[in-house]
Amino acid sequence: MTSDGKSILVIGRDGQVARSLDETLSASGYHVVQIGRPETDLRNPSSVSEAIRAAQPDFIVNAAAYTAVDQAEVEPETAFAINAAGAQSAAEAASEIGAPIIHFSTDYVFDGSKGVPYVETDAVSPLGVYGESKLAGESLVAEANPKHIILRTAWVFSPFGSNFVKTMLRLSRERPEINVVDDQRGSPTYAPDLATTVCQIISRLRTLSPSPECFGTFHATNSGETSWYGFARAIIDGAARRGGPQAIVHPIPTSAFPTKAHRPAYSVLSNDKLSHVYGIKLRPWPDALSEALDRIIGARHEETPQRPKQGFDSTA
């Protein structure tokens, strides 16, 4: 470990959250080491453990996950290997060297039946394999390392990789009209804002003697809520104001867009605990979307193509 407590190992290299973490933490003066496939792979727990022991970081952030929600229904073993067993191995290795671990989870641990924002103590009841695997990962991480911070997030977008914002922009260039589900509600969350949240948490843990309440499970999303249709309308309207692609967006029910996995109809998360313990309040999602569109549309032609991912980072 470094004497100044500024060495951070990030598990994941190519995902939205991982790339945002590298950008934000490096700019904040931290020494960031990123590990990822093929050298280290959560499906091979020993490779992750060995990398952590070799690096001896002060903090570990697990930003790698299996996020292909529908594909998880047909390959549950892979989803659990990465999201549960792999996360456990990272937490165990972190505990061995005395390092806290920050681990990302998802709104999909809830069934969406509540109708008002979920708090951390609400009953969990995943609707599909993806949520089940992430919930199992939460439990295993908590058991393996008492110095754990689990951040549940949702509907992640960014200037990086594949995400809903980029998909809507692509579709609006390819077709004049787009159909988008209007009966699922959540909170779109900007990956760079999640990275800033991690940076603020680490700063608190470094500079103050952490109390027990600093560890545990927290919700972290941009404030406000909308439907996928409302999100899509905001994307297309924002793109139009920037001279980007335009299309007509039509609302449709979930029943008109069947998928292998069931999604929660309502998965808005309350951020009150994060605000109370750490004093962190993420900005409204429309403000974050505006920044994302500035970056995406301005850099659309210069961005280096990324290799295909297993699925959207709908969560981390």
Side-chain angles (χ1 to χ4, degrees), residues 28-291:
S28 299
Y30 288 99
H31 174 63
V32 180
V33 175
Q34 288 189 285
I35 61 174
R37 295 180 296 176
E39 298 85 8
T40 52
D41 190 332
L42 287 175
R43 287 171 293 188
N44 178 11
S46 63
S47 69
V48 178
S49 301
E50 290 168 4
I52 290 172
R53 296 188 189 101
Q56 292 287 303
D58 299 299
F59 297 90
I60 294 163
V61 184
N62 181 21
Y66 181 100
T67 58
V69 176
D70 291 312
Q71 190 62 22
E73 297 297 315
V74 296
E75 47 184 33
E77 296 84 2
T78 302
F80 273 87
I82 295 172
N83 293 340
Q88 178 186 25
S89 67
E92 288 174 343
S95 183
E96 288 177 13
I97 64 172
I101 184 168
I102 299 175
H103 172 74
F104 284 95
S105 190
T106 174
D107 56 331
Y108 278 43
V109 300
F110 298 113
D111 64 11
S113 62
K114 187 180 180 184
V116 295
Y118 282 94
V119 298
E120 290 79 358
T121 54
D122 280 330
V124 290
S125 181
L127 297 178
V129 171
Y130 169 68
E132 291 170 352
S133 68
K134 292 296 289 183
L135 180 59
E138 288 187 8
S139 298
L140 292 169
V141 166
E143 292 172 4
N145 190 340
K147 295 180 180 179
H148 66 272
I149 296 168
I150 294 167
L151 295 179
R152 291 178 181 151
T153 191
W155 295 26
V156 177
F157 67 96
S158 75
F160 310 118
S162 298
N163 56 69
F164 185 77
V165 173
K166 288 192 170 184
T167 296
M168 290 301 102
L169 293 175
R170 175 180 58 79
L171 290 177
S172 65
R173 290 192 293 270
E174 296 174 351
R175 58 185 73 166
E177 300 182 16
I178 306 170
N179 296 327
V180 182
V181 168
D182 192 34
D183 53 1
Q184 296 174 25
R185 297 189 67 81
S187 298
T189 303
Y190 191 42
D193 287 353
L194 289 175
T196 298
T197 297
V198 169
C199 192
Q200 292 172 320
I201 289 172
I202 289 175
S203 177
R204 163 76 180 272
L205 296 179
R206 287 182 60 240
T207 57
L208 300 174
S209 178
S211 60
E213 70 174 357
C214 289
F215 300 106
T217 300
F218 298 83
H219 293 168
T221 62
N222 282 104
S223 62
E225 65 178 80
T226 187
S227 66
W228 287 113
Y229 166 74
F231 191 17
R233 280 290 306 272
I235 294 164
I236 301 305
D237 290 347
R241 290 193 296 271
R242 291 164 175 79
Q246 302 178 46
I248 298 172
V249 184
H250 299 289
I252 61 171
T254 296
S255 58
F257 189 72
T259 57
K260 289 187 179 72
H262 294 292
R263 269 81 168 164
Y266 183 91
S267 61
V268 178
L269 306 179
S270 168
N271 296 316
D272 288 349
K273 182 180 176 182
L274 185 68
S275 175
H276 172 73
V277 174
Y278 283 101
I280 297 173
K281 295 183 179 181
L282 281 75
R283 59 181 158 170
W285 68 264
D287 295 346
L289 174 61
S290 180
E291 179 181 310

Side-chain angles (χ1 to χ4, degrees), residues 287-304:
D287 295 346
L289 174 61
S290 180
E291 179 181 310
L293 290 173
D294 285 343
R295 294 186 63 176
I296 294 170
I297 292 176
R300 186 172 64 234
H301 300 297
E302 292 79 23
E303 183 177 344
T304 301

